[in-house]
Amino acid sequence: MDKIRSFFNREQNLLIHIIATIIVIILGIYFKLSVLEWLLVFFVICLVISSELLNSAIELVVDSYTQRFNSLAMVAKDSAAAAVVVSAFIAVGVGLYVFLPKFISFIS
């Protein structure tokens, strides 16, 4: 349990993604998503969490390799972080596609 706690202390963004995942799953159950909608949601959840895990791995490898500033190391870390941002934007787009009509019909 201590290793899991220390992992989430170090990787706080992953914890945010997992909390968002739990919220999305609860909303999906509440709104009774179709099979296709669940597949889309599951795909983007896996995409974002996988991107975050790869970003963390790249950052740890780069940090263990060099202690001094290295412009290539910075590019590697920035590129990995950008991949997470891109996957998060894709997830937001899918989330809007799936949930926005359901929220609109719920409100009206």
Side-chain angles (χ1 to χ4, degrees), residues 1-96:
M1 191 68 173
D2 289 336
K3 291 190 185 244
I4 293 172
R5 190 176 301 122
S6 68
F7 177 78
F8 282 117
N9 285 338
R10 188 178 70 236
E11 303 299 334
Q12 294 170 350
N13 289 338
L14 184 60
L15 182 60
I16 292 168
H17 294 306
I18 289 174
I19 291 169
T21 297
I22 292 167
I23 292 168
V24 166
I25 289 171
I26 291 169
L27 288 172
I29 292 168
Y30 178 78
F31 286 119
K32 297 180 173 96
L33 297 183
S34 69
V35 173
L36 178 60
E37 290 169 332
W38 275 117
L39 286 172
L40 288 171
V41 167
F42 179 72
F43 173 76
V44 293
I45 287 171
C46 290
L47 177 68
V48 171
I49 290 176
S50 296
S51 297
E52 187 64 54
L53 290 170
L54 287 171
N55 177 47
S56 298
I58 289 169
E59 286 183 355
L60 289 170
V61 168
V62 167
D63 289 346
S64 68
Y65 177 74
T66 180
Q67 300 300 320
R68 297 179 303 176
F69 176 78
N70 182 317
S71 61
L72 291 177
M74 182 183 74
V75 170
K77 291 172 77 170
D78 288 347
S79 298
V84 177
V85 172
V86 169
S87 67
F89 278 127
I90 292 169
V92 167
V94 169
L96 289 173

